[in-house]
Amino acid sequence: AHDKLLKSEKMATLGVLAAGIAHEVNSPLQYIQGGALGIEAYFEKHYNTIPEDVKSLLDSINEGVNRSADIVASLNQFSRQKQEKTDAVNIHQIIDNCLTILGNKIKYKVDIEKHFQRDDIIVSGNEGQLHQVIINILTNAIQAMHNEGKINIQTKLKDNKAELIFTDNGEGIKPEDLSKLTEPFFTTKPSGEGTGLGLSISQKIIEEHKGQILFDSTLGKGTTVTIILPL
Ligand code: ADP
């Protein structure tokens, strides 16, 4: 119990810190974005065109700004305090929406297999938050695989609970890392690719839904993430 208290105290402190950083970083980001737009407008006005080399520099500024804005959004999400409103939400619909969104981002071929046990699984929860959790899990799965990627998504009802099981055949997770996955800022990805906030946010959301998120992995073989939610 003491451990748990210490952990929630730490998370609360980190939340305040994260919100502060997000807020502070956001305004210089606006200047950078505004500056890039200003340079573009300057060339349009004086030369009627933007030279290719300037254009490619502006593109890389914009890419950096977008990436930073994503990080700011993750920090904000991480520090979010109270639960948002709950509705009856259709899990299969959320999964399908996530797959559609990610489908446009996957650059190489990933086989997605769905095994939905029944037509609808309805849980009480916040649609936007559950959507975020599933996006995080699928994004990790996609980033973990190289070629011949396979993701299997299974849903079922068990003991009056919904189980969502995501299995990938990616690179897997080292046994000593398994317990660290949901620690804020834990990442094994190269800088620029991961913030290490995805699973910590996901765990917080699932706990707020009175559910559980479980990880099982074999290095070199793949990873299974299971979400259990009360109906
Ligand atoms: P990030 O994706 O920004 O690194 P996450 O909290 O989403 O942050 O994930 C933390 C770490 O967990 C990842 O850096 C990775 O090492 C590991 N991980 C999560 N999901 C998977 C997966 N499906 N396969 C392999 N490693 C994973």
Side-chain angles (χ1 to χ4, degrees):
H2 181 255
D3 262 13
K4 257 204 156 152
L5 198 69
L6 199 66
K7 192 185 160 211
S8 61
E9 224 173 84
K10 267 192 193 160
M11 292 288 278
T13 312
L14 271 177
V16 173
L17 184 68
I21 295 170
H23 183 80
E24 290 302 318
V25 170
N26 211 26
S27 61
L29 267 185
Q30 313 272 339
Y31 302 149
I32 297 170
Q33 195 168 38
L37 283 172
I39 292 170
E40 204 177 316
Y42 176 90
F43 276 96
E44 291 281 9
K45 184 173 168 207
H46 294 279
Y47 303 94
N48 262 324
T49 176
I50 305 167
E52 273 313 306
D53 48 349
V54 173
K55 196 172 176 326
S56 92
L57 290 171
L58 290 175
D59 283 348
S60 70
I61 293 175
N62 283 327
E63 210 180 296
V65 167
N66 288 339
R67 165 83 195 134
S68 309
D70 281 351
I71 296 173
V72 166
S74 299
L75 288 171
N76 273 327
Q77 218 166 18
F78 173 75
S79 61
R80 190 183 42 79
Q81 287 300 331
K82 56 183 179 308
Q83 172 144 16
E84 286 159 43
K85 78 180 178 59
T86 56
D87 277 314
V89 296
N90 183 332
I91 289 294
H92 293 164
Q93 209 172 3
I94 298 180
I95 293 175
D96 284 336
N97 288 344
C98 292
L99 289 173
T100 307
I101 289 173
L102 290 174
N104 303 322
K105 288 194 180 170
I106 302 177
K107 295 194 190 82
Y108 41 88
K109 195 171 149 22
V110 177
D111 248 353
I112 306 222
E113 257 181 56
K114 288 192 292 183
H115 294 280
F116 291 173
Q117 190 197 37
R118 27 187 299 146
D119 290 344
D120 282 332
I121 290 189
I122 310 286
V123 303
S124 145
N126 181 276
E127 179 159 0
Q129 291 179 348
L130 293 176
H131 178 95
Q132 190 57 49
V133 170
I134 293 170
I135 289 274
N136 289 342
I137 290 171
L138 290 173
T139 304
N140 282 336
I142 292 164
Q143 287 179 329
M145 49 186 93
H146 305 291
N147 42 23
E148 311 260 327
K150 272 208 186 98
I151 301 177
N152 186 299
I153 307 173
Q154 200 191 344
T155 64
K156 57 186 179 194
L157 294 185
K158 202 175 146 190
D159 306 329
N160 219 21
K161 287 178 177 154
E163 270 192 36
L164 329 181
I165 304 164
F166 301 85
T167 304
D168 67 62
N169 67 344
E171 62 195 10
I173 299 167
K174 288 192 197 128
E176 66 265 33
D177 286 347
L178 262 185
S179 62
K180 301 183 198 149
L181 302 182
T182 58
E183 278 176 17
F185 306 108
F186 174 79
T187 182
T188 59
K189 292 173 191 169
S191 98
E193 265 172 56
T195 55
L197 288 173
L199 291 181
S200 107
I201 292 168
S202 300
Q203 189 190 42
K204 203 156 125 194
I205 290 174
I206 294 301
E207 280 179 355
E208 280 172 6
H209 281 77
K210 309 226 174 341
Q212 272 177 292
I213 181 165
L214 309 167
F215 304 93
D216 189 18
S217 187
T218 307
L219 199 59
K221 278 235 163 99
T223 301
T224 298
V225 182
T226 304
I227 294 179
I228 302 173
L229 288 169
L231 289 179

